[in-house]
Amino acid sequence: MSILVRSFAKINIGLKIGSRREDGFHELRTLYQTVALSDQVKVDVSRGLGIEVCCKDPRVPSDESNTCYRMADRVLRAFKTRNKVRITIEKTLPVQGGLGAASSNAVAAMLGLEKALKRELAPGERLRLAAEVGSDVPLFLIGGTVLGTGRGEQVYPLEDLPSFHCVIATPEVGVSTPAAFADWDSRIAGQKLTTADGFDRINVFSHSVFEWLSGSSFSPTGVPSKGWDRAEAMLLDLVRTGIENDFESVVFPKYPAIREVKRALERSGARYVSLSGSGSTVYGLFADKQEAARTAKALIDSGVPAQATVTLPRAQYWKAIFAKNST
Ligand code: C5P
């Protein structure tokens, strides 16, 4: 039995880093948004034992450190079953790019394995296993627009944002997330923040998001006020409310090439531009499809890998996950 699962990417719209906790993780607040770029994960189950992960991309580990391996191991244990599981990852998304690809691959492996075994985990169990595999994994159990709190693993579905055109640009610079958090710690060490100050910092995030989502473009019914095109008005409000990714302040000074890509996107007419996660992906949100396509092409011509796509609301996310499936 062979199951195909599409494994979509995410971007972060704003990311506020708080204090380093006793467990070494950082308290954070972010909005995750799934986008229509994906890897494909194939799950095969047969008689026998062992988990095998295959990927042609040499940067993807095939041992126990692979997120799909770790997830499959947990799912088999949860079902108390023994099978031979083979997971094949067809990579299109950048590796370590800030798009959550490895985390999304893990959820695809979970969903594929459930389907292959014709069994389902309880929602709470899915969430628990996802959070064990990584902070960015649970969001892919929701899709669309998701609020992330805690270390990023506590997730809440938000009302979907309208679908935006976007350009995802991933300069070929490897940014390590733990190193970016460490750089953040050194940067704020001089500021001698208390834990309470740390919470004050991240609470600013909820204020900005509140201001954004209750701005002129938004009404509780989702009907645009003032006759604006809702997506365009929301992009203007997003810029106005100053929602930013804290990682930019440590990643840009270290990797000026990434900041250059942000500037190029800003010059191209993107309404909102930001680093995603700890990078190296920088994305731009556009009101116009042609403008997004032109910008992606110009970036590629200048040597920066880039793609034009759209943000993916929840219903489309779930519809597309098993779309290519064949058994
Ligand atoms: O959870 P995940 O495996 O993605 O985290 C990778 C590393 O990133 C952690 O080991 C930790 O160093 C850092 N991290 C953090 N605070 C978070 C999330 C991740 O310090 N909220």
Side-chain angles (χ1 to χ4, degrees):
M1 178 99 172
S2 192
I3 305 292
L4 292 175
V5 192
R6 284 177 79 184
S7 162
F8 290 100
K10 61 82 181 164
I11 52 174
N12 297 82
I13 302 179
L15 192 157
K16 204 93 192 136
I17 310 172
S19 311
R20 189 168 180 276
R21 312 186 317 194
E22 286 197 346
D23 62 5
F25 285 89
H26 293 72
E27 191 66 26
L28 59 82
R29 301 285 181 269
T30 188
L31 289 185
Y32 298 110
Q33 173 64 55
T34 45
V35 297
L37 299 179
S38 59
D39 287 337
Q40 184 178 274
V41 173
K42 183 157 77 83
V43 180
D44 290 287
V45 173
S46 56
R47 280 182 185 212
L49 283 179
I51 300 166
E52 199 186 330
V53 177
C54 317
C55 181
K56 284 189 190 137
D57 190 323
R59 294 167 303 173
V60 176
S62 53
D63 61 9
E64 302 83 7
S65 68
N66 187 290
T67 51
C68 292
Y69 184 105
R70 293 168 57 212
M71 182 61 89
D73 186 38
R74 282 168 172 77
V75 172
L76 291 178
R77 280 172 208 267
F79 285 142
K80 297 190 174 60
T81 180
R82 291 164 149 247
N83 287 93
K84 177 156 182 54
V85 178
R86 187 184 162 93
I87 298 171
T88 313
I89 307 168
E90 217 172 277
K91 210 91 211 119
T92 317
L93 300 173
V95 178
Q96 284 202 319
L99 293 171
S103 304
S104 177
N105 290 171
V107 167
M110 172 194 266
L111 299 176
L113 192 47
E114 282 188 1
K115 213 172 163 88
L117 294 170
K118 296 193 173 67
R119 294 180 66 178
E120 273 188 19
L121 294 164
E125 184 74 345
R126 280 183 177 174
L127 188 67
R128 191 179 66 77
L129 300 186
E132 269 180 33
V133 172
S135 307
D136 270 1
V137 181
L139 83 103
F140 293 104
L141 291 173
I142 299 177
T145 310
V146 178
L147 172 68
T149 71
R151 59 182 167 88
E153 94 291 11
Q154 291 178 30
V155 284
Y156 304 85
L158 295 184
E159 181 180 355
D160 269 323
L161 294 172
S163 186
F164 300 122
H165 298 288
C166 75
V167 171
I168 306 280
T170 308
E172 281 163 334
V173 181
V175 181
S176 142
T177 301
F181 274 113
D183 290 343
W184 174 263
D185 289 341
S186 335
R187 183 173 174 273
I188 62 163
Q191 300 176 15
K192 299 205 167 42
L193 294 181
T194 62
T195 304
D197 293 332
F199 271 103
D200 282 349
R201 280 197 80 269
I202 55 173
N203 285 342
V204 169
F205 183 76
S206 70
H207 293 203
S208 321
V209 171
F210 176 82
E211 215 187 307
W212 178 36
L213 298 181
S214 53
S216 59
S217 58
F218 194 83
S219 74
T221 55
V223 176
S225 53
K226 293 189 195 162
W228 281 90
D229 169 82
R230 183 171 174 233
E232 178 140 25
M234 289 204 81
L235 288 180
L236 292 173
D237 280 349
L238 178 57
V239 177
R240 189 176 54 73
T241 43
I243 293 174
E244 286 178 350
N245 181 339
D246 276 344
F247 276 123
E248 290 190 357
S249 65
V250 286
V251 171
F252 286 173
K254 202 166 174 178
Y255 305 101
I258 305 180
R259 179 192 276 131
E260 280 313 308
V261 174
K262 178 169 180 178
R263 292 201 174 131
L265 277 163
E266 282 167 344
R267 284 194 301 267
S268 73
R271 295 290 199 272
Y272 178 79
V273 184
S274 173
L275 190 71
S276 182
S278 59
S280 63
T281 295
V282 179
Y283 67 87
L285 301 178
F286 289 78
D288 182 78
K289 185 178 179 181
Q290 273 73 36
E291 212 167 26
R294 263 199 309 275
T295 302
K297 183 167 183 311
L299 282 165
I300 294 165
D301 290 347
S302 70
V304 179
Q307 270 176 284
T309 184
V310 287
T311 60
L312 195 64
R314 193 166 303 124
Q316 277 105 301
Y317 174 81
W318 284 105
K319 203 167 157 201
I321 272 189
F322 291 115
K324 282 203 238 166
N325 209 49
S326 62
T327 50

